[in-house]
Amino acid sequence: MANLIPSRLAKRAHFDADTIYPILDEAFFCTVSYVADNKPFTIPTAFVRYEDKIYIHGSVGSHFMRELEKGIPVCIAVTLADALVVAKSAFHYSMNYRSVVIFAEGEKIEDPELKKAMFQWLTEKVVPGSWDYVRPVKENEVKKTTVLAFKLDEASAKVRTGMPIDDEEDKTLPIWSGIINLETKKMPPVADELSQHILLPPHLQG
């Protein structure tokens, strides 16, 4: 992976797959930024990583997807927030996080079988165990969907962990400092009106 060294706090940068891939696999959404008609655009969307590429999808009629399938340069960002860092001074307030930035061009996937595979990868990422439970994807649904792949050749991660870094003269101040951990977790499933009398399947029972 290319070394896209940040201009500040380069010690927090990582360029190895062992750091980058787990962040991408944990995150559900990415933000894709690009320029079209001399105007900036940024779009949040679900994604999935498979091997050394990430995949996104959308309607064949989507202006967003039609622009990206041209192979224009994009910047893709993913961030996971782990904790609020509470320092003894407002200047040193921060956040523990894991992030990935990718520079790439979209590759339109034409192979219907690969498009179906992307549906499976994404479905299993979002709700593991559900692919074999739900109604199979129809051929016309595949045709109505554009799938784009982005290589991870130019990807870098940036990570902050640990406690506040206060100025030496502030360390003895009687002001509380530390971290407030953040957690994103799945809550118990809530049935819609059509599923009130359907037994919750094992893969949703947690």
Side-chain angles (χ1 to χ4, degrees):
M1 299 192 177
N3 285 8
L4 308 174
I5 300 176
S7 58
R8 292 190 68 253
L9 300 175
K11 64 183 180 181
R12 294 180 183 169
H14 302 266
F15 310 101
D16 58 292
D18 288 343
T19 302
I20 293 171
Y21 287 3
I23 298 172
L24 297 177
D25 294 344
E26 183 175 341
F28 290 115
F29 296 96
C30 67
T31 302
V32 183
S33 300
Y34 63 99
V35 174
D37 300 325
N38 293 317
K39 297 179 181 179
F41 294 86
T42 187
I43 305 292
T45 185
F47 77 99
V48 64
R49 180 192 70 84
Y50 185 78
E51 296 180 343
D52 61 348
K53 297 179 181 179
I54 66 170
Y55 295 81
I56 66 173
H57 73 291
S59 167
V60 295
S62 164
H63 177 269
F64 166 57
M65 298 301 287
R66 291 203 308 269
E67 285 294 324
L68 297 192
E69 70 181 37
K70 297 175 184 177
I72 62 175
V74 302
C75 178
I76 302 172
V78 172
T79 302
L80 298 172
D82 296 319
L84 305 176
V85 178
V86 181
K88 294 185 183 299
S89 70
F91 182 79
H92 288 298
Y93 267 48
S94 186
M95 182 176 291
N96 286 344
Y97 63 90
R98 292 162 288 150
S99 65
V100 172
V101 173
I102 304 159
F103 294 97
E105 297 83 36
E107 171 194 353
K108 186 177 181 180
I109 303 302
E110 303 286 2
D111 181 1
E113 293 305 312
L114 183 52
K115 291 172 73 173
K116 287 182 184 178
M118 186 283 308
F119 277 115
Q120 181 174 359
W121 301 332
L122 183 58
T123 301
E124 285 296 305
K125 176 183 181 179
V126 176
V127 186
S130 62
W131 181 254
D132 292 331
Y133 175 78
V134 298
R135 187 263 292 162
V137 174
K138 297 177 180 178
E139 296 298 327
N140 68 323
E141 293 173 331
V142 176
K143 293 179 180 178
K144 293 178 181 178
T145 304
T146 296
V147 174
L148 300 175
F150 299 87
K151 293 182 179 179
L152 297 173
D153 294 344
E154 295 187 63
S156 64
K158 198 173 180 183
V159 178
R160 190 207 189 277
T161 60
M163 291 293 176
I165 303 174
D166 281 300
D167 294 336
E168 193 64 33
E169 61 269 25
D170 292 340
K171 291 182 178 180
T172 57
L173 294 175
I175 299 171
W176 190 92
S177 55
I179 62 173
I180 302 172
N181 288 315
L182 302 175
E183 182 180 8
T184 299
K185 64 179 181 179
K186 294 180 180 179
M187 304 300 288
V190 179
D192 63 15
E193 291 184 2
L194 301 176
S195 300
Q196 294 291 334
H197 305 294
I198 298 176
L199 185 66
L200 192 67
H203 69 278
L204 296 179
Q205 293 179 12

